[in-house]
């Protein structure tokens, strides 16, 4: 009569062996980390190397994003903007609507910011629109719009303090005497 192991028994034995192996490796790693100075140095070097690579990657990504922002702003300026009041109004509504849709996806934040930037270019009072953007547009997209405005330089925004100062008189409860 032959003895055959059931599949459940084999699975339990395998799981027990894997768990024992993992725990043994964890104990070995912890022992090496605590007692071997060279091992600790290697761990520190590796973590510094990984942090450096991540930092360089983030800097490169930031530089690429700035380059892309400059490129899309330049392209938008070359395309031009409507001059007729009715065309400006429909252009504004179209760009804001398109920007709101693009804001939902992190991969299209630059495109969404470009839409908001184009709308800002045709809006008669850009300072007021920036105040609205500040309340409604997600911060990453708003930061990109700010970079676009800074690169363009032709949008007459004025000081941010002056914009909110005219609205702040009635909302702060200050009384004119």
């Amino acid at each position: 009569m032959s003895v055959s192991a059931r599949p459940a028994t084999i699975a339990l034995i395998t799981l027990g062996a894997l768990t024992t192996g993992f725990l043994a490796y964890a104990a070995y790693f912890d022992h090496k980390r605590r007692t071997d100075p060279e091992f600790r140095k290697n761990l520190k070097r590796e973590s510094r190397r990984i942090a450096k690579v991540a930092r360089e990657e983030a800097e490169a990504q930031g530089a690429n994003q700035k380059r892309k922002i400059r490129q899309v702003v330049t392209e938008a300026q070359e395309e031009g903007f409507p001059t007729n009041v009715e065309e400006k109004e429909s252009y504004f509504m179209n760009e804001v609507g398109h920007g709101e849709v693009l804001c939902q996806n992190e991969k299209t934040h630059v495109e969404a910011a470009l839409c908001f930037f184009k709308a800002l270019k045709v809006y008669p009072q850009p300072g007021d629109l920036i105040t609205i953007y500040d309340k409604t547009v997600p911060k990453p997209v708003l930061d990109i719009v700010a970079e676009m405005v800074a690169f363009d330089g032709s949008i007459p925004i004025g000081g941010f303090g002056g914009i909110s100062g005219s609205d702040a008189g009635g909302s702060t409860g200050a009384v004119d005497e």
Side-chain angles (χ1 to χ4, degrees), residues 151-173:
F151 176 71
D152 180 46
S154 69
I155 298 176
I157 297 172
F160 284 106
I163 293 170
S164 62
S166 63
D167 294 337
S171 63
T172 59

Side-chain angles (χ1 to χ4, degrees), residues 22-35:
F22 177 75
L23 290 175
Y25 178 74
Y28 167 78
F29 181 83
D30 188 52
H31 175 71
K32 283 289 259 186
R33 182 182 58 84
R34 290 176 188 239
T35 60

Side-chain angles (χ1 to χ4, degrees), residues 65-78 81 114 117 120-121 142-155 157:
Q65 182 172 348
K66 285 186 180 189
R67 197 174 310 117
K68 184 175 181 181
I69 287 170
R70 288 190 171 120
Q71 178 186 359
V72 296
V73 168
T74 303
E75 289 173 3
Q77 291 169 337
E78 290 172 358
F81 300 95
L114 179 63
F117 171 75
L120 188 64
K121 287 286 281 187
L142 189 61
D143 291 342
I144 297 170
V145 172
E147 286 185 46
M148 290 177 171
V149 169
F151 176 71
D152 180 46
S154 69
I155 298 176
I157 297 172

Side-chain angles (χ1 to χ4, degrees), residues 41-119:
K41 286 180 186 175
N42 287 338
L43 283 176
K44 277 188 176 180
R45 277 189 212 122
E46 185 66 20
S47 68
R48 279 191 222 122
R49 186 188 65 78
I50 290 171
K52 181 180 177 184
V53 167
R55 185 175 52 250
E56 289 172 353
E57 191 175 291
E59 289 172 0
Q61 187 178 17
N64 286 339
Q65 182 172 348
K66 285 186 180 189
R67 197 174 310 117
K68 184 175 181 181
I69 287 170
R70 288 190 171 120
Q71 178 186 359
V72 296
V73 168
T74 303
E75 289 173 3
Q77 291 169 337
E78 290 172 358
E79 288 175 12
F81 300 95
T83 55
N84 185 344
V85 175
E86 290 84 20
E87 290 174 357
K88 281 184 177 183
E89 186 176 324
S90 66
Y91 184 80
F92 171 81
M93 295 304 289
N94 185 32
E95 292 299 325
V96 169
H98 196 157
E100 288 175 351
V101 171
L102 292 173
C103 274
Q104 305 306 317
N105 186 353
E106 287 185 26
K107 294 179 181 179
T108 58
H109 277 179
V110 173
E111 291 81 5
L114 179 63
C115 291
F116 290 123
F117 171 75
K118 288 178 176 181

